[in-house]
Amino acid sequence: MSGMSERPAPVSFAEAFRFWLKLGFISFGGPAGQMAIMHTELVERRRWISEKRFLHALNFCMVLPGPEAQQLATYIGWLMHGTRGGVAAGALFVLPSLLLLVLLSWVYVAFGSLPAVAAVFYGIKPAVTALVLHAAHRIGSRALKNPWLWGIAAAAFMAIFALDAPFPAIVLAAALVGHWGGRRWPHVFVTGAGHAGSTQAHASALIDDDTPAPAHALFTRRRLVQVLAVGFGLWLLAMAVLLALVGVQGTLTQMGWFFTKAALMTFGGAYAVLPYVYQGAVEDFGWLNAQQMIDGLALGETTPGPLIMVVAFVGFMGGWLHQVLGPDALFWSGALAASVVTFFTFLPSFVFILVGGPFIETTHGKLMFTAPLTAITAAVVGVILNLALFFAYHVWWPQGFTGPFDAPSAALTALAAIALFRFKVGVVPLIGVCGLLGVAWRMVAVVGG
């Protein structure tokens, strides 16, 4: 039992850097899968941060516009090693995905869809479905401590599943329930409330429940002004360079402005903003067509990194088709446009975390702040369960309910779920094996056909 209570050794920036780099390459499964990976690695295995502090940070990221999993990595990196830690964690969460999507976008536009790649994706999609379901179970088993929180999760699920309620409205409603309920029945909304047994089983973490916020995480007006000045300055500098190079009507300038607006509208994750991106990228600017947008979403769903990284594909296609660097440099045109789009999409996320982090760190022990966040966590469990059903529907009935049922995909989903729930298989082996099984099944189908 003493091993459970020993606090882990301090983590160097270099060690954390290596972990964030690894996370950038294995962060499959959309936000739910990515948060499950981070929870397993950071809370359970490495014990860099406690359950309560992890959920508190997650709740904050959930109510921000932008990709919540990337912001959660940024927050934890910032909490551990200051601004450089936050920037490293957030950037490394995105860069591997950007590089991979640039490469896949080039393969897609230059060579068309490759059967081998399609076969790998066929195997990965059921694994992603199982990962999201596992994340709902993992977070729910820890966050839903009493029937009231279960009720909030069920109401959130019904709101999004049956009523198609927007995610921001669900978050706001849950926050109001938590705020009101925390005043009347505070014991219901105490995070981790309950039993002595659960407290005794709690393993000490490097950033534990009662660990004071480090000096860099304390609020000062000077630091607030610095972060805002640097963030806005970087945006102005990048936009000024684009205006000087290609003018107001240039494709890259239009992309920078459009994706700045998109970044500020991504409440509720990528799915909430995709209609806006589709309308602008396909209908207004003609950076790509509708079928290419759907194919890009498939690439975004099956590559590591946040799903909103589909914008890198949109940027690549627009840069390639509009030949922003000329007809002799199509690859570099696409790569530059993808990089520009990624910069403008993710810059606000870093500013939100570095500005808001010190405020959030002062609230993790105060019920008037934590009760709404506890209710939001419960609601998010219902939303993640809905996402799992959404994935299952598209994987098992790829042509809709009127089309045929894809029995091999359903069987692979079941096998992946058993591997996760029963045998605790890691995410990377699971993704790898399912990808190979997808290739094997396609080969058998070709031979049999």
Side-chain angles (χ1 to χ4, degrees):
M1 199 67 176
S2 60
M4 288 287 286
S5 60
E6 288 177 8
R7 197 177 295 267
V11 177
S12 68
F13 176 73
E15 182 183 350
F17 186 95
R18 287 192 295 271
F19 170 76
W20 299 123
L21 178 62
K22 171 191 169 186
L23 181 66
F25 282 100
I26 66 170
S27 56
F28 290 92
Q34 291 152 5
M35 288 184 281
I37 294 168
M38 278 192 278
H39 188 280
T40 300
E41 289 285 339
L42 298 177
V43 177
E44 297 178 357
R45 184 163 168 258
R46 299 170 190 264
R47 291 190 287 134
W48 286 0
I49 188 168
S50 71
E51 175 84 26
K52 189 179 289 188
R53 296 288 278 267
F54 180 89
L55 289 176
H56 190 72
L58 171 59
N59 288 331
F60 171 54
C61 297
M62 283 289 184
V63 298
L64 291 175
E68 55 266 39
Q70 184 260 353
Q71 290 171 329
L72 179 61
T74 304
Y75 189 104
I76 296 173
W78 163 79
L79 195 55
M80 293 180 66
H81 294 109
T83 300
R84 65 171 183 163
V87 170
L92 292 173
F93 197 89
V94 171
L95 286 176
S97 178
L98 173 62
L99 295 174
L100 188 57
L101 274 170
V102 165
L103 179 62
L104 291 174
S105 300
W106 172 68
V107 169
Y108 172 85
V109 75
F111 302 107
S113 61
L114 299 177
V117 175
V120 171
F121 286 172
Y122 179 81
I124 288 176
K125 286 180 180 179
V128 170
T129 303
L131 276 170
V132 176
L133 183 62
H134 189 244
H137 174 267
R138 180 189 297 276
I139 296 174
S141 63
R142 290 167 169 79
L144 307 182
K145 299 291 187 181
N146 56 61
W148 296 101
L149 296 177
W150 274 95
I152 292 173
F157 172 78
M158 292 306 298
I160 197 166
F161 178 78
L163 304 178
D164 201 25
F167 183 78
I170 293 173
V171 168
L172 178 61
L176 290 174
V177 169
H179 174 74
W180 178 71
R183 291 171 173 242
R184 292 185 61 102
W185 304 287
H187 64 283
V188 170
F189 296 92
V190 176
T191 308
H195 309 292
S198 62
T199 307
Q200 290 168 6
H202 169 65
S204 294
L206 190 62
I207 302 173
D208 216 340
D209 295 352
D210 56 356
T211 303
H216 67 261
L218 300 175
F219 172 77
T220 66
R221 278 199 185 86
R222 182 164 171 263
R223 188 174 286 128
L224 173 65
V225 171
Q226 284 178 336
V227 171
L228 291 174
V230 170
F232 191 56
L234 286 172
W235 185 90
L236 278 178
L237 177 63
M239 190 58 74
V241 169
L242 294 180
L243 284 169
L245 292 177
V246 299
V248 176
Q249 296 302 317
T251 298
L252 295 177
T253 306
Q254 290 178 329
M255 285 181 172
W257 178 240
F258 176 78
F259 283 101
T260 296
K261 292 186 291 182
L264 300 176
M265 291 179 59
T266 51
F267 289 98
Y271 284 112
V273 79
L274 281 176
Y276 176 75
V277 173
Y278 174 89
Q279 185 180 43
V282 175
E283 298 176 2
D284 297 341
F285 294 105
W287 292 329
L288 72 175
N289 62 37
Q291 186 57 49
Q292 290 167 340
M293 183 72 187
I294 295 169
D295 292 342
L297 182 57
L299 284 176
E301 284 180 329
T302 48
T303 49
L307 179 57
I308 195 62
M309 280 304 297
V310 68
V311 301
F313 177 84
V314 172
F316 188 96
M317 295 299 298
W320 178 290
L321 295 174
H322 287 252
Q323 303 178 358
V324 297
L325 294 178
D328 298 325
L330 291 180
F331 171 79
W332 295 111
S333 295
L336 175 61
S339 301
V340 166
V341 164
T342 301
F343 174 83
F344 282 101
T345 299
F346 284 92
L347 177 63
S349 290
F350 288 96
V351 176
F352 288 143
I353 294 299
L354 296 178
V355 165
F359 293 101
I360 297 304
E361 276 304 298
T362 63
T363 66
H364 64 79
K366 299 178 181 176
L367 186 64
M368 65 177 291
F369 294 104
T370 60
L373 296 178
T374 299
I376 290 171
T377 300
V380 164
V381 174
V383 173
I384 293 174
L385 181 59
N386 176 73
L387 183 64
L389 293 181
F390 177 87
F391 271 52
Y393 160 65
H394 285 277
V395 170
W396 299 349
W397 287 275
Q399 298 172 33
F401 281 128
T402 55
F405 176 69
D406 192 335
S409 287
L412 195 51
T413 305
L415 288 174
I418 292 169
L420 285 168
F421 283 92
R422 178 68 179 86
F423 298 104
K424 315 295 184 187
V425 172
V427 173
V428 177
L430 182 77
I431 293 285
V433 170
C434 286
L436 291 174
L437 288 173
V439 173
W441 173 251
R442 283 294 174 89
M443 290 174 64
V444 169
V446 169
V447 172

PDB file of all heavy atoms in Angstrom, residues 241-274:
ATOM      1  N   VAL A 241       1.823  39.382 -43.148  1.00  0.00           N
ATOM      2  CA  VAL A 241       2.676  38.710 -44.137  1.00  0.00           C
ATOM      3  C   VAL A 241       1.851  38.235 -45.320  1.00  0.00           C
ATOM      4  O   VAL A 241       2.230  38.420 -46.494  1.00  0.00           O
ATOM      5  CB  VAL A 241       3.449  37.538 -43.486  1.00  0.00           C
ATOM      6  CG1 VAL A 241       4.120  36.675 -44.538  1.00  0.00           C
ATOM      7  CG2 VAL A 241       4.474  38.054 -42.487  1.00  0.00           C
ATOM      8  N   LEU A 242       0.694  37.622 -45.035  1.00  0.00           N
ATOM      9  CA  LEU A 242      -0.167  37.130 -46.118  1.00  0.00           C
ATOM     10  C   LEU A 242      -0.698  38.284 -46.968  1.00  0.00           C
ATOM     11  O   LEU A 242      -0.748  38.195 -48.205  1.00  0.00           O
ATOM     12  CB  LEU A 242      -1.329  36.310 -45.549  1.00  0.00           C
ATOM     13  CG  LEU A 242      -0.957  35.000 -44.854  1.00  0.00           C
ATOM     14  CD1 LEU A 242      -2.214  34.303 -44.340  1.00  0.00           C
ATOM     15  CD2 LEU A 242      -0.204  34.074 -45.798  1.00  0.00           C
ATOM     16  N   LEU A 243      -1.093  39.379 -46.330  1.00  0.00           N
ATOM     17  CA  LEU A 243      -1.596  40.534 -47.076  1.00  0.00           C
ATOM     18  C   LEU A 243      -0.508  41.104 -47.976  1.00  0.00           C
ATOM     19  O   LEU A 243      -0.768  41.479 -49.132  1.00  0.00           O
ATOM     20  CB  LEU A 243      -2.090  41.612 -46.097  1.00  0.00           C
ATOM     21  CG  LEU A 243      -3.443  41.338 -45.422  1.00  0.00           C
ATOM     22  CD1 LEU A 243      -3.689  42.331 -44.294  1.00  0.00           C
ATOM     23  CD2 LEU A 243      -4.580  41.416 -46.441  1.00  0.00           C
ATOM     24  N   ALA A 244       0.729  41.144 -47.440  1.00  0.00           N
ATOM     25  CA  ALA A 244       1.832  41.689 -48.227  1.00  0.00           C
ATOM     26  C   ALA A 244       2.173  40.791 -49.413  1.00  0.00           C
ATOM     27  O   ALA A 244       2.547  41.278 -50.490  1.00  0.00           O
ATOM     28  CB  ALA A 244       3.067  41.876 -47.334  1.00  0.00           C
ATOM     29  N   LEU A 245       2.042  39.476 -49.234  1.00  0.00           N
ATOM     30  CA  LEU A 245       2.446  38.530 -50.277  1.00  0.00           C
ATOM     31  C   LEU A 245       1.377  38.322 -51.336  1.00  0.00           C
ATOM     32  O   LEU A 245       1.680  38.267 -52.534  1.00  0.00           O
ATOM     33  CB  LEU A 245       2.821  37.180 -49.648  1.00  0.00           C
ATOM     34  CG  LEU A 245       4.090  37.150 -48.798  1.00  0.00           C
ATOM     35  CD1 LEU A 245       4.287  35.774 -48.180  1.00  0.00           C
ATOM     36  CD2 LEU A 245       5.314  37.514 -49.647  1.00  0.00           C
ATOM     37  N   VAL A 246       0.111  38.162 -50.901  1.00  0.00           N
ATOM     38  CA  VAL A 246      -0.934  37.778 -51.872  1.00  0.00           C
ATOM     39  C   VAL A 246      -2.123  38.720 -51.896  1.00  0.00           C
ATOM     40  O   VAL A 246      -3.030  38.534 -52.714  1.00  0.00           O
ATOM     41  CB  VAL A 246      -1.425  36.333 -51.601  1.00  0.00           C
ATOM     42  CG1 VAL A 246      -0.289  35.340 -51.751  1.00  0.00           C
ATOM     43  CG2 VAL A 246      -2.045  36.206 -50.208  1.00  0.00           C
ATOM     44  N   GLY A 247      -2.169  39.724 -51.019  1.00  0.00           N
ATOM     45  CA  GLY A 247      -3.259  40.683 -51.040  1.00  0.00           C
ATOM     46  C   GLY A 247      -4.514  40.188 -50.342  1.00  0.00           C
ATOM     47  O   GLY A 247      -4.603  39.034 -49.909  1.00  0.00           O
ATOM     48  N   VAL A 248      -5.504  41.083 -50.265  1.00  0.00           N
ATOM     49  CA  VAL A 248      -6.737  40.774 -49.533  1.00  0.00           C
ATOM     50  C   VAL A 248      -7.490  39.612 -50.168  1.00  0.00           C
ATOM     51  O   VAL A 248      -8.066  38.770 -49.480  1.00  0.00           O
ATOM     52  CB  VAL A 248      -7.648  42.025 -49.474  1.00  0.00           C
ATOM     53  CG1 VAL A 248      -8.978  41.689 -48.806  1.00  0.00           C
ATOM     54  CG2 VAL A 248      -6.961  43.150 -48.731  1.00  0.00           C
ATOM     55  N   GLN A 249      -7.499  39.559 -51.508  1.00  0.00           N
ATOM     56  CA  GLN A 249      -8.267  38.528 -52.203  1.00  0.00           C
ATOM     57  C   GLN A 249      -7.482  37.240 -52.433  1.00  0.00           C
ATOM     58  O   GLN A 249      -7.999  36.299 -53.036  1.00  0.00           O
ATOM     59  CB  GLN A 249      -8.751  39.069 -53.561  1.00  0.00           C
ATOM     60  CG  GLN A 249      -9.728  40.228 -53.448  1.00  0.00           C
ATOM     61  CD  GLN A 249     -10.962  39.876 -52.638  1.00  0.00           C
ATOM     62  OE1 GLN A 249     -11.533  38.801 -52.795  1.00  0.00           O
ATOM     63  NE2 GLN A 249     -11.368  40.780 -51.752  1.00  0.00           N
ATOM     64  N   GLY A 250      -6.241  37.176 -51.961  1.00  0.00           N
ATOM     65  CA  GLY A 250      -5.440  35.980 -52.135  1.00  0.00           C
ATOM     66  C   GLY A 250      -6.032  34.786 -51.395  1.00  0.00           C
ATOM     67  O   GLY A 250      -6.646  34.941 -50.323  1.00  0.00           O
ATOM     68  N   THR A 251      -5.849  33.602 -51.952  1.00  0.00           N
ATOM     69  CA  THR A 251      -6.402  32.387 -51.343  1.00  0.00           C
ATOM     70  C   THR A 251      -5.916  32.199 -49.914  1.00  0.00           C
ATOM     71  O   THR A 251      -6.703  31.875 -49.007  1.00  0.00           O
ATOM     72  CB  THR A 251      -6.037  31.156 -52.194  1.00  0.00           C
ATOM     73  OG1 THR A 251      -6.624  31.289 -53.488  1.00  0.00           O
ATOM     74  CG2 THR A 251      -6.548  29.867 -51.551  1.00  0.00           C
ATOM     75  N   LEU A 252      -4.628  32.394 -49.665  1.00  0.00           N
ATOM     76  CA  LEU A 252      -4.070  32.177 -48.325  1.00  0.00           C
ATOM     77  C   LEU A 252      -4.637  33.185 -47.325  1.00  0.00           C
ATOM     78  O   LEU A 252      -4.926  32.826 -46.173  1.00  0.00           O
ATOM     79  CB  LEU A 252      -2.546  32.265 -48.361  1.00  0.00           C
ATOM     80  CG  LEU A 252      -1.835  31.174 -49.170  1.00  0.00           C
ATOM     81  CD1 LEU A 252      -0.329  31.410 -49.178  1.00  0.00           C
ATOM     82  CD2 LEU A 252      -2.141  29.783 -48.605  1.00  0.00           C
ATOM     83  N   THR A 253      -4.801  34.441 -47.747  1.00  0.00           N
ATOM     84  CA  THR A 253      -5.385  35.452 -46.847  1.00  0.00           C
ATOM     85  C   THR A 253      -6.827  35.096 -46.513  1.00  0.00           C
ATOM     86  O   THR A 253      -7.256  35.190 -45.356  1.00  0.00           O
ATOM     87  CB  THR A 253      -5.333  36.835 -47.504  1.00  0.00           C
ATOM     88  OG1 THR A 253      -4.001  37.121 -47.913  1.00  0.00           O
ATOM     89  CG2 THR A 253      -5.793  37.910 -46.533  1.00  0.00           C
ATOM     90  N   GLN A 254      -7.583  34.685 -47.521  1.00  0.00           N
ATOM     91  CA  GLN A 254      -8.978  34.288 -47.285  1.00  0.00           C
ATOM     92  C   GLN A 254      -9.050  33.094 -46.339  1.00  0.00           C
ATOM     93  O   GLN A 254      -9.930  33.034 -45.466  1.00  0.00           O
ATOM     94  CB  GLN A 254      -9.654  33.954 -48.616  1.00  0.00           C
ATOM     95  CG  GLN A 254      -9.885  35.164 -49.504  1.00  0.00           C
ATOM     96  CD  GLN A 254     -10.500  34.791 -50.835  1.00  0.00           C
ATOM     97  OE1 GLN A 254     -10.268  33.700 -51.359  1.00  0.00           O
ATOM     98  NE2 GLN A 254     -11.294  35.696 -51.402  1.00  0.00           N
ATOM     99  N   MET A 255      -8.126  32.146 -46.513  1.00  0.00           N
ATOM    100  CA  MET A 255      -8.083  30.988 -45.615  1.00  0.00           C
ATOM    101  C   MET A 255      -7.785  31.420 -44.178  1.00  0.00           C
ATOM    102  O   MET A 255      -8.411  30.940 -43.225  1.00  0.00           O
ATOM    103  CB  MET A 255      -7.031  29.988 -46.086  1.00  0.00           C
ATOM    104  CG  MET A 255      -7.425  29.175 -47.304  1.00  0.00           C
ATOM    105  SD  MET A 255      -6.131  28.006 -47.782  1.00  0.00           S
ATOM    106  CE  MET A 255      -6.982  27.057 -49.046  1.00  0.00           C
ATOM    107  N   GLY A 256      -6.811  32.313 -44.013  1.00  0.00           N
ATOM    108  CA  GLY A 256      -6.448  32.770 -42.668  1.00  0.00           C
ATOM    109  C   GLY A 256      -7.624  33.410 -41.952  1.00  0.00           C
ATOM    110  O   GLY A 256      -7.897  33.117 -40.780  1.00  0.00           O
ATOM    111  N   TRP A 257      -8.346  34.288 -42.642  1.00  0.00           N
ATOM    112  CA  TRP A 257      -9.473  34.975 -42.027  1.00  0.00           C
ATOM    113  C   TRP A 257     -10.634  34.013 -41.770  1.00  0.00           C
ATOM    114  O   TRP A 257     -11.233  34.023 -40.693  1.00  0.00           O
ATOM    115  CB  TRP A 257      -9.921  36.133 -42.912  1.00  0.00           C
ATOM    116  CG  TRP A 257     -11.112  36.882 -42.395  1.00  0.00           C
ATOM    117  CD1 TRP A 257     -12.306  37.051 -43.010  1.00  0.00           C
ATOM    118  CD2 TRP A 257     -11.224  37.561 -41.133  1.00  0.00           C
ATOM    119  NE1 TRP A 257     -13.169  37.788 -42.225  1.00  0.00           N
ATOM    120  CE2 TRP A 257     -12.520  38.118 -41.061  1.00  0.00           C
ATOM    121  CE3 TRP A 257     -10.358  37.757 -40.058  1.00  0.00           C
ATOM    122  CZ2 TRP A 257     -12.972  38.837 -39.973  1.00  0.00           C
ATOM    123  CZ3 TRP A 257     -10.805  38.478 -38.959  1.00  0.00           C
ATOM    124  CH2 TRP A 257     -12.098  39.018 -38.920  1.00  0.00           C
ATOM    125  N   PHE A 258     -10.931  33.162 -42.761  1.00  0.00           N
ATOM    126  CA  PHE A 258     -12.053  32.228 -42.610  1.00  0.00           C
ATOM    127  C   PHE A 258     -11.817  31.264 -41.454  1.00  0.00           C
ATOM    128  O   PHE A 258     -12.721  31.025 -40.638  1.00  0.00           O
ATOM    129  CB  PHE A 258     -12.261  31.440 -43.912  1.00  0.00           C
ATOM    130  CG  PHE A 258     -13.322  30.383 -43.814  1.00  0.00           C
ATOM    131  CD1 PHE A 258     -14.668  30.717 -43.862  1.00  0.00           C
ATOM    132  CD2 PHE A 258     -12.988  29.044 -43.643  1.00  0.00           C
ATOM    133  CE1 PHE A 258     -15.649  29.755 -43.759  1.00  0.00           C
ATOM    134  CE2 PHE A 258     -13.957  28.069 -43.540  1.00  0.00           C
ATOM    135  CZ  PHE A 258     -15.300  28.426 -43.604  1.00  0.00           C
ATOM    136  N   PHE A 259     -10.604  30.710 -41.342  1.00  0.00           N
ATOM    137  CA  PHE A 259     -10.371  29.705 -40.300  1.00  0.00           C
ATOM    138  C   PHE A 259     -10.128  30.336 -38.928  1.00  0.00           C
ATOM    139  O   PHE A 259     -10.246  29.651 -37.913  1.00  0.00           O
ATOM    140  CB  PHE A 259      -9.248  28.757 -40.713  1.00  0.00           C
ATOM    141  CG  PHE A 259      -9.700  27.742 -41.729  1.00  0.00           C
ATOM    142  CD1 PHE A 259      -9.398  27.897 -43.074  1.00  0.00           C
ATOM    143  CD2 PHE A 259     -10.480  26.673 -41.345  1.00  0.00           C
ATOM    144  CE1 PHE A 259      -9.849  26.984 -44.014  1.00  0.00           C
ATOM    145  CE2 PHE A 259     -10.946  25.751 -42.275  1.00  0.00           C
ATOM    146  CZ  PHE A 259     -10.625  25.911 -43.617  1.00  0.00           C
ATOM    147  N   THR A 260      -9.825  31.628 -38.883  1.00  0.00           N
ATOM    148  CA  THR A 260      -9.848  32.322 -37.593  1.00  0.00           C
ATOM    149  C   THR A 260     -11.278  32.350 -37.059  1.00  0.00           C
ATOM    150  O   THR A 260     -11.535  32.058 -35.884  1.00  0.00           O
ATOM    151  CB  THR A 260      -9.317  33.758 -37.734  1.00  0.00           C
ATOM    152  OG1 THR A 260      -7.945  33.727 -38.112  1.00  0.00           O
ATOM    153  CG2 THR A 260      -9.449  34.516 -36.412  1.00  0.00           C
ATOM    154  N   LYS A 261     -12.217  32.694 -37.933  1.00  0.00           N
ATOM    155  CA  LYS A 261     -13.636  32.702 -37.518  1.00  0.00           C
ATOM    156  C   LYS A 261     -14.098  31.293 -37.150  1.00  0.00           C
ATOM    157  O   LYS A 261     -14.812  31.107 -36.145  1.00  0.00           O
ATOM    158  CB  LYS A 261     -14.502  33.270 -38.647  1.00  0.00           C
ATOM    159  CG  LYS A 261     -14.281  34.744 -38.923  1.00  0.00           C
ATOM    160  CD  LYS A 261     -15.261  35.282 -39.944  1.00  0.00           C
ATOM    161  CE  LYS A 261     -14.984  34.716 -41.325  1.00  0.00           C
ATOM    162  NZ  LYS A 261     -15.903  35.261 -42.354  1.00  0.00           N
ATOM    163  N   ALA A 262     -13.686  30.295 -37.948  1.00  0.00           N
ATOM    164  CA  ALA A 262     -14.091  28.918 -37.653  1.00  0.00           C
ATOM    165  C   ALA A 262     -13.574  28.474 -36.287  1.00  0.00           C
ATOM    166  O   ALA A 262     -14.271  27.790 -35.538  1.00  0.00           O
ATOM    167  CB  ALA A 262     -13.577  27.978 -38.746  1.00  0.00           C
ATOM    168  N   ALA A 263     -12.336  28.873 -35.956  1.00  0.00           N
ATOM    169  CA  ALA A 263     -11.739  28.482 -34.670  1.00  0.00           C
ATOM    170  C   ALA A 263     -12.536  29.022 -33.493  1.00  0.00           C
ATOM    171  O   ALA A 263     -12.609  28.387 -32.433  1.00  0.00           O
ATOM    172  CB  ALA A 263     -10.297  28.984 -34.593  1.00  0.00           C
ATOM    173  N   LEU A 264     -13.139  30.174 -33.657  1.00  0.00           N
ATOM    174  CA  LEU A 264     -13.905  30.788 -32.575  1.00  0.00           C
ATOM    175  C   LEU A 264     -15.334  30.258 -32.501  1.00  0.00           C
ATOM    176  O   LEU A 264     -16.075  30.594 -31.589  1.00  0.00           O
ATOM    177  CB  LEU A 264     -13.933  32.312 -32.759  1.00  0.00           C
ATOM    178  CG  LEU A 264     -12.556  32.992 -32.749  1.00  0.00           C
ATOM    179  CD1 LEU A 264     -12.689  34.481 -33.032  1.00  0.00           C
ATOM    180  CD2 LEU A 264     -11.839  32.765 -31.409  1.00  0.00           C
ATOM    181  N   MET A 265     -15.696  29.393 -33.455  1.00  0.00           N
ATOM    182  CA  MET A 265     -17.062  28.848 -33.483  1.00  0.00           C
ATOM    183  C   MET A 265     -17.110  27.362 -33.156  1.00  0.00           C
ATOM    184  O   MET A 265     -18.175  26.753 -33.209  1.00  0.00           O
ATOM    185  CB  MET A 265     -17.689  29.058 -34.865  1.00  0.00           C
ATOM    186  CG  MET A 265     -17.976  30.508 -35.184  1.00  0.00           C
ATOM    187  SD  MET A 265     -18.690  30.690 -36.830  1.00  0.00           S
ATOM    188  CE  MET A 265     -20.168  29.676 -36.669  1.00  0.00           C
ATOM    189  N   THR A 266     -15.968  26.758 -32.819  1.00  0.00           N
ATOM    190  CA  THR A 266     -15.935  25.299 -32.657  1.00  0.00           C
ATOM    191  C   THR A 266     -16.363  24.867 -31.260  1.00  0.00           C
ATOM    192  O   THR A 266     -15.719  24.035 -30.645  1.00  0.00           O
ATOM    193  CB  THR A 266     -14.537  24.728 -32.970  1.00  0.00           C
ATOM    194  OG1 THR A 266     -13.549  25.460 -32.235  1.00  0.00           O
ATOM    195  CG2 THR A 266     -14.221  24.812 -34.432  1.00  0.00           C
ATOM    196  N   PHE A 267     -17.428  25.448 -30.724  1.00  0.00           N
ATOM    197  CA  PHE A 267     -18.015  24.924 -29.498  1.00  0.00           C
ATOM    198  C   PHE A 267     -18.617  23.560 -29.797  1.00  0.00           C
ATOM    199  O   PHE A 267     -19.334  23.390 -30.781  1.00  0.00           O
ATOM    200  CB  PHE A 267     -19.117  25.855 -28.982  1.00  0.00           C
ATOM    201  CG  PHE A 267     -18.608  27.143 -28.422  1.00  0.00           C
ATOM    202  CD1 PHE A 267     -18.606  28.292 -29.190  1.00  0.00           C
ATOM    203  CD2 PHE A 267     -18.110  27.206 -27.138  1.00  0.00           C
ATOM    204  CE1 PHE A 267     -18.138  29.488 -28.669  1.00  0.00           C
ATOM    205  CE2 PHE A 267     -17.634  28.398 -26.604  1.00  0.00           C
ATOM    206  CZ  PHE A 267     -17.653  29.541 -27.372  1.00  0.00           C
ATOM    207  N   GLY A 268     -18.312  22.588 -28.938  1.00  0.00           N
ATOM    208  CA  GLY A 268     -18.899  21.272 -29.136  1.00  0.00           C
ATOM    209  C   GLY A 268     -18.097  20.388 -30.060  1.00  0.00           C
ATOM    210  O   GLY A 268     -18.587  19.357 -30.493  1.00  0.00           O
ATOM    211  N   GLY A 269     -16.869  20.762 -30.364  1.00  0.00           N
ATOM    212  CA  GLY A 269     -16.011  19.897 -31.149  1.00  0.00           C
ATOM    213  C   GLY A 269     -16.186  20.088 -32.642  1.00  0.00           C
ATOM    214  O   GLY A 269     -16.941  20.941 -33.118  1.00  0.00           O
ATOM    215  N   ALA A 270     -15.463  19.259 -33.389  1.00  0.00           N
ATOM    216  CA  ALA A 270     -15.379  19.432 -34.837  1.00  0.00           C
ATOM    217  C   ALA A 270     -16.729  19.258 -35.519  1.00  0.00           C
ATOM    218  O   ALA A 270     -17.039  19.962 -36.481  1.00  0.00           O
ATOM    219  CB  ALA A 270     -14.363  18.446 -35.409  1.00  0.00           C
ATOM    220  N   TYR A 271     -17.551  18.304 -35.041  1.00  0.00           N
ATOM    221  CA  TYR A 271     -18.814  18.043 -35.720  1.00  0.00           C
ATOM    222  C   TYR A 271     -19.718  19.278 -35.732  1.00  0.00           C
ATOM    223  O   TYR A 271     -20.495  19.485 -36.653  1.00  0.00           O
ATOM    224  CB  TYR A 271     -19.543  16.861 -35.071  1.00  0.00           C
ATOM    225  CG  TYR A 271     -18.942  15.534 -35.432  1.00  0.00           C
ATOM    226  CD1 TYR A 271     -18.290  14.763 -34.481  1.00  0.00           C
ATOM    227  CD2 TYR A 271     -18.993  15.053 -36.736  1.00  0.00           C
ATOM    228  CE1 TYR A 271     -17.711  13.548 -34.811  1.00  0.00           C
ATOM    229  CE2 TYR A 271     -18.422  13.846 -37.084  1.00  0.00           C
ATOM    230  CZ  TYR A 271     -17.781  13.093 -36.112  1.00  0.00           C
ATOM    231  OH  TYR A 271     -17.200  11.901 -36.445  1.00  0.00           O
ATOM    232  N   ALA A 272     -19.598  20.098 -34.678  1.00  0.00           N
ATOM    233  CA  ALA A 272     -20.446  21.283 -34.598  1.00  0.00           C
ATOM    234  C   ALA A 272     -20.061  22.333 -35.637  1.00  0.00           C
ATOM    235  O   ALA A 272     -20.917  23.089 -36.101  1.00  0.00           O
ATOM    236  CB  ALA A 272     -20.357  21.883 -33.192  1.00  0.00           C
ATOM    237  N   VAL A 273     -18.791  22.395 -36.012  1.00  0.00           N
ATOM    238  CA  VAL A 273     -18.337  23.453 -36.926  1.00  0.00           C
ATOM    239  C   VAL A 273     -18.209  22.951 -38.364  1.00  0.00           C
ATOM    240  O   VAL A 273     -18.044  23.745 -39.285  1.00  0.00           O
ATOM    241  CB  VAL A 273     -16.996  24.048 -36.438  1.00  0.00           C
ATOM    242  CG1 VAL A 273     -15.818  23.147 -36.802  1.00  0.00           C
ATOM    243  CG2 VAL A 273     -16.773  25.453 -36.996  1.00  0.00           C
ATOM    244  N   LEU A 274     -18.284  21.628 -38.579  1.00  0.00           N
ATOM    245  CA  LEU A 274     -18.099  21.100 -39.932  1.00  0.00           C
ATOM    246  C   LEU A 274     -19.106  21.668 -40.946  1.00  0.00           C
ATOM    247  O   LEU A 274     -18.724  21.941 -42.090  1.00  0.00           O
ATOM    248  CB  LEU A 274     -18.154  19.571 -39.923  1.00  0.00           C
ATOM    249  CG  LEU A 274     -16.865  18.882 -39.455  1.00  0.00           C
ATOM    250  CD1 LEU A 274     -17.053  17.382 -39.379  1.00  0.00           C
ATOM    251  CD2 LEU A 274     -15.692  19.226 -40.369  1.00  0.00           C
TER     252      LEU A 274
END
